[in-house]
Amino acid sequence: MTDAYLRFRNTDASVFTEASLLSFAFRKDAYTAYTSLTARAVTAEDIFPDAAEVELYVGNILVHHGLIDQLTAETSGGSTVTTVVSRGFTSLLCQNQIEPGMKLNVSVNSLMDGYYTLPYVTHENNSDTSNYIFVKNNSTMWDGVVNLSYKLFGTYPYIRGTNCVRVTPVSQPQEFNYSGSDLLSTGSAISGRRLTSHFHMSDINGDFGNFDLTDNDVLAQKIVRHRFFELDRQFLMNPQDALVFRDKYCTRAWKRRFCTYSGYNGEDISDLVTFSGVTAERIAAVKITGSSAGIVTELSVYRDKFPREII
């Protein structure tokens, strides 16, 4: 595979490149806190004892930079095939907790920079301290970013580039326009497994009945699912928002339209794409796969309760 290669970095900072890729699958989604990669390559038998991180380049574009979740080298018939499984470094946001309690006057900058130094993780510059977050027991840094992003902009945070956390859409997105002759396929999909019809939250005294939300769009799908939860202290200024946010989150990626084409042209989350049935909508998911048959990219846009223009 000549249009894609892996680059590994060892704990001693030495770097080596593997161009003999057999296959790979890269995924990036507006509702996932990290990019993911699984790849197989023909490698030298003994080059991985201290591998610590991996990069994937497609068409000389760096699309993934992550820590190594699993690395397996298997030798048979005189050749070694190595399989690597990796998540982007922003996955560490999902694995680091901060002290529970109320955090006043918090901004995206202070949340991302004030607790831990995470390798290669960057973020959108936003110093707005007009909001607070309430850190629950066992919640993560990513939970805090999600809560703050929604309070500030009504958005869900996403990853741009390899490991940059953003809470707003890019102001100057790239635009990609594909006609029928450019595409391998187009399609649509519906996912109803997360849809919830009724939300019920208790008040400060633990009583139910004051905070409820019914999603009639979900009921129209003949889905009845009730969810009860305690008062969410992340939304004390407006308790009903706790139900609205959960409703939006449960409908994430509910409906999508997608297209596939040969190669990869550099699309990213929050760029704009046009194809059959889609006109200049924000890209919400990118999947790139490669094999002996070539490289194929799938681009998806979502229609859910987070407004499309601010995914």
Side-chain angles (χ1 to χ4, degrees):
M1 197 182 309
T2 58
D3 292 331
Y5 61 92
L6 299 175
R7 178 171 293 166
F8 291 89
R9 183 171 285 106
N10 289 322
T11 54
D12 64 1
S14 60
V15 176
F16 56 93
T17 300
E18 286 299 331
S20 301
L21 267 174
L22 298 174
S23 64
F24 71 88
F26 164 84
R27 290 178 175 81
K28 187 175 198 177
D29 185 277
Y31 295 117
T32 302
Y34 49 84
T35 60
S36 61
L37 170 69
T38 300
R40 297 174 67 247
V42 177
T43 62
E45 183 177 359
D46 58 352
I47 61 174
F48 292 110
D50 299 309
E53 54 193 89
V54 61
E55 299 172 339
L56 171 67
Y57 290 80
V58 181
N60 289 320
I61 299 172
L62 175 62
V63 298
H64 175 83
H65 185 193
L67 43 81
I68 293 175
D69 286 335
Q70 186 174 357
L71 191 65
T72 305
E74 183 175 359
T75 301
S76 177
S79 63
T80 299
V81 174
T82 294
T83 301
V84 60
V85 179
S86 171
R87 286 175 294 173
F89 281 96
T90 50
S91 63
L92 295 172
L93 292 168
C94 304
Q95 299 164 2
N96 280 277
Q97 301 174 355
I98 55 181
E99 182 182 0
M102 191 75 72
K103 311 296 181 184
L104 301 175
N105 303 318
V106 66
S107 68
V108 173
N109 291 355
S110 65
L111 178 59
M112 292 292 298
D113 300 332
Y115 293 97
Y116 310 112
T117 300
L118 303 179
Y120 306 110
V121 175
T122 61
H123 60 86
E124 179 178 352
N125 179 24
N126 187 289
S127 58
D128 186 338
T129 58
S130 62
N131 277 276
Y132 75 93
I133 60 172
F134 182 80
V135 181
K136 303 176 185 178
N137 288 329
N138 301 318
S139 65
T140 66
M141 288 185 68
W142 182 252
D143 294 328
V145 175
V146 168
N147 183 243
L148 190 56
S149 177
Y150 185 72
K151 285 181 176 177
L152 288 171
F153 304 107
T155 60
Y156 194 89
Y158 65 96
I159 306 305
R160 177 85 175 174
T162 52
N163 291 290
C164 181
V165 176
R166 289 194 59 90
V167 295
T168 65
V170 291
S171 59
Q172 295 181 317
Q174 293 192 72
E175 298 187 32
F176 299 88
N177 193 324
Y178 295 106
S179 63
S181 59
D182 301 319
L183 298 173
L184 298 174
S185 67
T186 60
S188 62
I190 295 177
S191 176
R193 66 185 183 275
R194 291 186 290 251
L195 299 181
T196 302
S197 58
H198 297 80
F199 299 84
H200 313 278
M201 185 176 70
S202 67
D203 59 21
I204 194 69
N205 298 315
D207 298 323
F208 287 93
N210 292 319
F211 302 113
D212 299 285
L213 184 149
T214 299
D215 191 322
N216 291 316
D217 294 329
V218 175
L219 286 176
Q221 301 293 314
K222 311 305 180 186
I223 294 173
V224 178
R225 294 176 180 139
H226 286 257
R227 180 179 295 180
F228 289 78
F229 55 97
E230 295 178 349
L231 178 69
D232 190 341
R233 296 178 183 274
Q234 295 181 106
F235 294 94
L236 288 177
M237 296 294 293
N238 188 352
Q240 194 67 23
D241 265 356
L243 295 91
V244 174
F245 172 76
R246 281 167 170 78
D247 182 38
K248 289 183 177 182
Y249 188 65
C250 287
T251 65
R252 67 193 185 278
W254 177 12
K255 301 176 181 180
R256 74 179 178 108
R257 294 191 64 88
F258 61 89
C259 68
T260 63
Y261 69 88
S262 295
Y264 173 62
N265 294 326
E267 297 92 347
D268 204 345
I269 304 299
S270 194
D271 285 334
L272 300 176
V273 67
T274 296
F275 58 90
S276 177
V278 172
T279 302
E281 294 188 31
R282 296 275 181 176
I283 295 172
V286 179
K287 181 171 71 174
I288 313 170
T289 56
S291 67
S292 59
I295 294 173
V296 173
T297 296
E298 178 185 274
L299 306 174
S300 296
V301 300
Y302 292 156
R303 279 87 180 269
D304 54 31
K305 291 185 180 290
F306 282 102
R308 281 175 287 162
E309 66 271 17
I310 58 172
I311 286 180

